[in-house]
Structures are given as structure tokens and as C-alpha cells.
Amino acid sequence: MTTVQREFGNRLREIRQEQCFTQEELAHRAGLNRTYVGDIERGEKNLTLVSMKRLAKALGVNIRDFFDWEL
Amino acid sequence: MTTVQREFGNRLREIRQEQCFTQEELAHRAGLNRTYVGDIERGEKNLTLVSMKRLAKALGVNIRDFFDWEL
């Protein structure tokens, strides 16, 4: 697990919870597997650009919103 | 080729050229293959979070700087 994966996962969970989605709801909207979304949130997946875009679209945010933890 | 890949590639090329790096220099600094960097810039690769981080670090920028084309 890399730091960037962990930070991304934490931020994804934060945005998802702000919007009151379950992992299952988010996965469904993004066309991804629920297990995969859970793995991303735990920092266990090195997800791709296209998956980021799907998650952003499903949450109604921009990809860059996933990176506001960067200094 | 997806829109997000093309937009990412265009922005990566722009930042690289602003910093006067060749594709080969950027690839070397990021620990990636030169061909791979060229493919990303042409929007032909669905790169991962960890590769984005390597490119950002090599260019001295944040990952979110690759996404300033988002509305």
C-alpha cells in the first residue's frame, strides 16, 4: 500500500460519506464492484484514471477534488 | 481512447514542455519508460494513481495540477 493510495482512499470515503452514499450505492452509480470501492477506500488499490473519472462523475465532483490533501 | 485520457495527456505534455523536459528526461526522472510517457501524452494509456504520483513528483507539481482542465 502506498501513501498516495491511502490518502486517495481516505478522501474518497470522506466525499462519499458527505453525500450519504453507501459503498454499494457509489459502486452501482460508477459501474464498479462494491468490493473494489471498499478496497480503494482502504488504500489497497492502485486505481486508474478512468476509474477515478467514473467515481468523480458518480459523486458529482471533479477528479481534482480527490486530491485536496496534497500540500 | 477516452476523453479523460486525452485531456490528461495534453496537460501532462503542457507541464513537461513548460519545464523544458524531453519525454526521455521525464521518463527517467519518474522511473517510467519513454514510450509509456509518449503513449500517456497521446491519450493512449489509462495510467494509474501511482504512475500519476511519479510523474507529479518528477515535475515538481501536485497531481491535481494535471486536472486543471476540469470544469
PDB file of all heavy atoms in Angstrom, chain B residues 51-69:
ATOM      1  N   SER B  51       1.420   5.884 -10.951  1.00  0.00           N
ATOM      2  CA  SER B  51       2.165   6.497 -12.061  1.00  0.00           C
ATOM      3  C   SER B  51       1.954   8.011 -12.092  1.00  0.00           C
ATOM      4  O   SER B  51       2.885   8.775 -12.361  1.00  0.00           O
ATOM      5  CB  SER B  51       1.735   5.891 -13.401  1.00  0.00           C
ATOM      6  OG  SER B  51       2.109   4.539 -13.473  1.00  0.00           O
ATOM      7  N   MET B  52       0.715   8.460 -11.795  1.00  0.00           N
ATOM      8  CA  MET B  52       0.460   9.909 -11.717  1.00  0.00           C
ATOM      9  C   MET B  52       1.346  10.554 -10.666  1.00  0.00           C
ATOM     10  O   MET B  52       1.888  11.634 -10.869  1.00  0.00           O
ATOM     11  CB  MET B  52      -0.993  10.174 -11.304  1.00  0.00           C
ATOM     12  CG  MET B  52      -1.987  10.038 -12.395  1.00  0.00           C
ATOM     13  SD  MET B  52      -3.642  10.366 -11.709  1.00  0.00           S
ATOM     14  CE  MET B  52      -4.560   9.349 -12.852  1.00  0.00           C
ATOM     15  N   LYS B  53       1.451   9.881  -9.515  1.00  0.00           N
ATOM     16  CA  LYS B  53       2.259  10.426  -8.420  1.00  0.00           C
ATOM     17  C   LYS B  53       3.722  10.519  -8.846  1.00  0.00           C
ATOM     18  O   LYS B  53       4.395  11.517  -8.558  1.00  0.00           O
ATOM     19  CB  LYS B  53       2.102   9.534  -7.182  1.00  0.00           C
ATOM     20  CG  LYS B  53       2.888   9.986  -5.976  1.00  0.00           C
ATOM     21  CD  LYS B  53       2.406  11.319  -5.462  1.00  0.00           C
ATOM     22  CE  LYS B  53       3.311  11.850  -4.346  1.00  0.00           C
ATOM     23  NZ  LYS B  53       2.866  13.180  -3.908  1.00  0.00           N
ATOM     24  N   ARG B  54       4.211   9.500  -9.539  1.00  0.00           N
ATOM     25  CA  ARG B  54       5.615   9.528 -10.001  1.00  0.00           C
ATOM     26  C   ARG B  54       5.859  10.680 -10.965  1.00  0.00           C
ATOM     27  O   ARG B  54       6.875  11.364 -10.902  1.00  0.00           O
ATOM     28  CB  ARG B  54       5.946   8.214 -10.725  1.00  0.00           C
ATOM     29  CG  ARG B  54       6.110   7.041  -9.798  1.00  0.00           C
ATOM     30  CD  ARG B  54       6.490   5.829 -10.628  1.00  0.00           C
ATOM     31  NE  ARG B  54       6.747   4.673  -9.801  1.00  0.00           N
ATOM     32  CZ  ARG B  54       7.433   3.607 -10.192  1.00  0.00           C
ATOM     33  NH1 ARG B  54       7.928   3.548 -11.421  1.00  0.00           N
ATOM     34  NH2 ARG B  54       7.640   2.605  -9.386  1.00  0.00           N
ATOM     35  N   LEU B  55       4.902  10.885 -11.883  1.00  0.00           N
ATOM     36  CA  LEU B  55       5.034  11.976 -12.858  1.00  0.00           C
ATOM     37  C   LEU B  55       4.973  13.332 -12.162  1.00  0.00           C
ATOM     38  O   LEU B  55       5.754  14.238 -12.470  1.00  0.00           O
ATOM     39  CB  LEU B  55       3.931  11.863 -13.923  1.00  0.00           C
ATOM     40  CG  LEU B  55       4.088  10.692 -14.896  1.00  0.00           C
ATOM     41  CD1 LEU B  55       2.789  10.461 -15.672  1.00  0.00           C
ATOM     42  CD2 LEU B  55       5.244  10.941 -15.871  1.00  0.00           C
ATOM     43  N   ALA B  56       4.042  13.464 -11.220  1.00  0.00           N
ATOM     44  CA  ALA B  56       3.917  14.736 -10.494  1.00  0.00           C
ATOM     45  C   ALA B  56       5.198  15.045  -9.732  1.00  0.00           C
ATOM     46  O   ALA B  56       5.720  16.164  -9.789  1.00  0.00           O
ATOM     47  CB  ALA B  56       2.720  14.674  -9.536  1.00  0.00           C
ATOM     48  N   LYS B  57       5.722  14.042  -9.055  1.00  0.00           N
ATOM     49  CA  LYS B  57       6.945  14.244  -8.269  1.00  0.00           C
ATOM     50  C   LYS B  57       8.106  14.628  -9.187  1.00  0.00           C
ATOM     51  O   LYS B  57       8.882  15.536  -8.879  1.00  0.00           O
ATOM     52  CB  LYS B  57       7.264  12.954  -7.494  1.00  0.00           C
ATOM     53  CG  LYS B  57       8.339  13.118  -6.442  1.00  0.00           C
ATOM     54  CD  LYS B  57       8.470  11.850  -5.595  1.00  0.00           C
ATOM     55  CE  LYS B  57       9.583  12.021  -4.555  1.00  0.00           C
ATOM     56  NZ  LYS B  57       9.824  10.771  -3.814  1.00  0.00           N
ATOM     57  N   ALA B  58       8.207  13.940 -10.319  1.00  0.00           N
ATOM     58  CA  ALA B  58       9.300  14.217 -11.268  1.00  0.00           C
ATOM     59  C   ALA B  58       9.206  15.635 -11.821  1.00  0.00           C
ATOM     60  O   ALA B  58      10.222  16.254 -12.150  1.00  0.00           O
ATOM     61  CB  ALA B  58       9.264  13.200 -12.410  1.00  0.00           C
ATOM     62  N   LEU B  59       7.988  16.159 -11.929  1.00  0.00           N
ATOM     63  CA  LEU B  59       7.776  17.501 -12.486  1.00  0.00           C
ATOM     64  C   LEU B  59       7.699  18.573 -11.398  1.00  0.00           C
ATOM     65  O   LEU B  59       7.600  19.764 -11.707  1.00  0.00           O
ATOM     66  CB  LEU B  59       6.481  17.526 -13.316  1.00  0.00           C
ATOM     67  CG  LEU B  59       6.541  16.745 -14.633  1.00  0.00           C
ATOM     68  CD1 LEU B  59       5.142  16.501 -15.176  1.00  0.00           C
ATOM     69  CD2 LEU B  59       7.389  17.486 -15.663  1.00  0.00           C
ATOM     70  N   GLY B  60       7.705  18.148 -10.143  1.00  0.00           N
ATOM     71  CA  GLY B  60       7.620  19.122  -9.045  1.00  0.00           C
ATOM     72  C   GLY B  60       6.254  19.782  -8.934  1.00  0.00           C
ATOM     73  O   GLY B  60       6.142  20.940  -8.524  1.00  0.00           O
ATOM     74  N   VAL B  61       5.205  19.043  -9.300  1.00  0.00           N
ATOM     75  CA  VAL B  61       3.840  19.580  -9.204  1.00  0.00           C
ATOM     76  C   VAL B  61       2.987  18.643  -8.347  1.00  0.00           C
ATOM     77  O   VAL B  61       3.451  17.576  -7.923  1.00  0.00           O
ATOM     78  CB  VAL B  61       3.188  19.752 -10.606  1.00  0.00           C
ATOM     79  CG1 VAL B  61       4.025  20.711 -11.464  1.00  0.00           C
ATOM     80  CG2 VAL B  61       3.003  18.409 -11.316  1.00  0.00           C
ATOM     81  N   ASN B  62       1.758  19.043  -8.082  1.00  0.00           N
ATOM     82  CA  ASN B  62       0.795  18.170  -7.416  1.00  0.00           C
ATOM     83  C   ASN B  62      -0.029  17.425  -8.461  1.00  0.00           C
ATOM     84  O   ASN B  62      -0.195  17.927  -9.579  1.00  0.00           O
ATOM     85  CB  ASN B  62      -0.135  18.992  -6.531  1.00  0.00           C
ATOM     86  CG  ASN B  62       0.563  19.481  -5.271  1.00  0.00           C
ATOM     87  OD1 ASN B  62       1.222  18.710  -4.577  1.00  0.00           O
ATOM     88  ND2 ASN B  62       0.423  20.766  -4.985  1.00  0.00           N
ATOM     89  N   ILE B  63      -0.554  16.276  -8.069  1.00  0.00           N
ATOM     90  CA  ILE B  63      -1.395  15.516  -9.001  1.00  0.00           C
ATOM     91  C   ILE B  63      -2.555  16.386  -9.482  1.00  0.00           C
ATOM     92  O   ILE B  63      -2.922  16.356 -10.648  1.00  0.00           O
ATOM     93  CB  ILE B  63      -1.915  14.221  -8.347  1.00  0.00           C
ATOM     94  CG1 ILE B  63      -0.748  13.256  -8.067  1.00  0.00           C
ATOM     95  CG2 ILE B  63      -2.962  13.535  -9.245  1.00  0.00           C
ATOM     96  CD1 ILE B  63      -1.143  11.998  -7.286  1.00  0.00           C
ATOM     97  N   ARG B  64      -3.118  17.194  -8.591  1.00  0.00           N
ATOM     98  CA  ARG B  64      -4.278  17.975  -9.013  1.00  0.00           C
ATOM     99  C   ARG B  64      -3.948  18.975 -10.121  1.00  0.00           C
ATOM    100  O   ARG B  64      -4.847  19.401 -10.844  1.00  0.00           O
ATOM    101  CB  ARG B  64      -4.965  18.650  -7.825  1.00  0.00           C
ATOM    102  CG  ARG B  64      -4.137  19.662  -7.090  1.00  0.00           C
ATOM    103  CD  ARG B  64      -4.988  20.341  -6.000  1.00  0.00           C
ATOM    104  NE  ARG B  64      -4.180  21.255  -5.225  1.00  0.00           N
ATOM    105  CZ  ARG B  64      -3.495  20.913  -4.132  1.00  0.00           C
ATOM    106  NH1 ARG B  64      -3.568  19.689  -3.671  1.00  0.00           N
ATOM    107  NH2 ARG B  64      -2.754  21.785  -3.495  1.00  0.00           N
ATOM    108  N   ASP B  65      -2.671  19.326 -10.261  1.00  0.00           N
ATOM    109  CA  ASP B  65      -2.288  20.230 -11.360  1.00  0.00           C
ATOM    110  C   ASP B  65      -2.520  19.587 -12.734  1.00  0.00           C
ATOM    111  O   ASP B  65      -2.623  20.290 -13.735  1.00  0.00           O
ATOM    112  CB  ASP B  65      -0.823  20.648 -11.231  1.00  0.00           C
ATOM    113  CG  ASP B  65      -0.576  21.472  -9.973  1.00  0.00           C
ATOM    114  OD1 ASP B  65      -1.439  22.308  -9.642  1.00  0.00           O
ATOM    115  OD2 ASP B  65       0.460  21.267  -9.313  1.00  0.00           O
ATOM    116  N   PHE B  66      -2.590  18.269 -12.783  1.00  0.00           N
ATOM    117  CA  PHE B  66      -2.883  17.592 -14.052  1.00  0.00           C
ATOM    118  C   PHE B  66      -4.359  17.735 -14.443  1.00  0.00           C
ATOM    119  O   PHE B  66      -4.741  17.351 -15.551  1.00  0.00           O
ATOM    120  CB  PHE B  66      -2.561  16.094 -13.963  1.00  0.00           C
ATOM    121  CG  PHE B  66      -1.100  15.775 -13.819  1.00  0.00           C
ATOM    122  CD1 PHE B  66      -0.662  14.858 -12.869  1.00  0.00           C
ATOM    123  CD2 PHE B  66      -0.151  16.366 -14.641  1.00  0.00           C
ATOM    124  CE1 PHE B  66       0.687  14.546 -12.738  1.00  0.00           C
ATOM    125  CE2 PHE B  66       1.203  16.063 -14.516  1.00  0.00           C
ATOM    126  CZ  PHE B  66       1.615  15.145 -13.558  1.00  0.00           C
ATOM    127  N   PHE B  67      -5.174  18.233 -13.527  1.00  0.00           N
ATOM    128  CA  PHE B  67      -6.624  18.241 -13.756  1.00  0.00           C
ATOM    129  C   PHE B  67      -7.221  19.636 -13.812  1.00  0.00           C
ATOM    130  O   PHE B  67      -8.419  19.805 -13.620  1.00  0.00           O
ATOM    131  CB  PHE B  67      -7.324  17.405 -12.679  1.00  0.00           C
ATOM    132  CG  PHE B  67      -6.960  15.949 -12.759  1.00  0.00           C
ATOM    133  CD1 PHE B  67      -5.980  15.408 -11.940  1.00  0.00           C
ATOM    134  CD2 PHE B  67      -7.574  15.128 -13.698  1.00  0.00           C
ATOM    135  CE1 PHE B  67      -5.615  14.068 -12.039  1.00  0.00           C
ATOM    136  CE2 PHE B  67      -7.218  13.784 -13.807  1.00  0.00           C
ATOM    137  CZ  PHE B  67      -6.232  13.256 -12.973  1.00  0.00           C
ATOM    138  N   ASP B  68      -6.403  20.645 -14.104  1.00  0.00           N
ATOM    139  CA  ASP B  68      -6.971  21.996 -14.085  1.00  0.00           C
ATOM    140  C   ASP B  68      -7.805  22.311 -15.334  1.00  0.00           C
ATOM    141  O   ASP B  68      -8.354  23.393 -15.447  1.00  0.00           O
ATOM    142  CB  ASP B  68      -5.899  23.056 -13.843  1.00  0.00           C
ATOM    143  CG  ASP B  68      -4.914  23.125 -14.972  1.00  0.00           C
ATOM    144  OD1 ASP B  68      -5.015  22.318 -15.909  1.00  0.00           O
ATOM    145  OD2 ASP B  68      -4.046  24.007 -14.921  1.00  0.00           O
ATOM    146  N   TRP B  69      -7.932  21.364 -16.235  1.00  0.00           N
ATOM    147  CA  TRP B  69      -8.812  21.497 -17.399  1.00  0.00           C
ATOM    148  C   TRP B  69     -10.252  21.132 -17.032  1.00  0.00           C
ATOM    149  O   TRP B  69     -11.173  21.402 -17.819  1.00  0.00           O
ATOM    150  CB  TRP B  69      -8.342  20.581 -18.534  1.00  0.00           C
ATOM    151  CG  TRP B  69      -8.027  19.202 -18.051  1.00  0.00           C
ATOM    152  CD1 TRP B  69      -6.820  18.747 -17.592  1.00  0.00           C
ATOM    153  CD2 TRP B  69      -8.935  18.108 -17.924  1.00  0.00           C
ATOM    154  NE1 TRP B  69      -6.918  17.446 -17.178  1.00  0.00           N
ATOM    155  CE2 TRP B  69      -8.206  17.019 -17.373  1.00  0.00           C
ATOM    156  CE3 TRP B  69     -10.287  17.939 -18.213  1.00  0.00           C
ATOM    157  CZ2 TRP B  69      -8.792  15.782 -17.120  1.00  0.00           C
ATOM    158  CZ3 TRP B  69     -10.862  16.691 -17.950  1.00  0.00           C
ATOM    159  CH2 TRP B  69     -10.116  15.642 -17.417  1.00  0.00           C
TER     160      TRP B  69
END
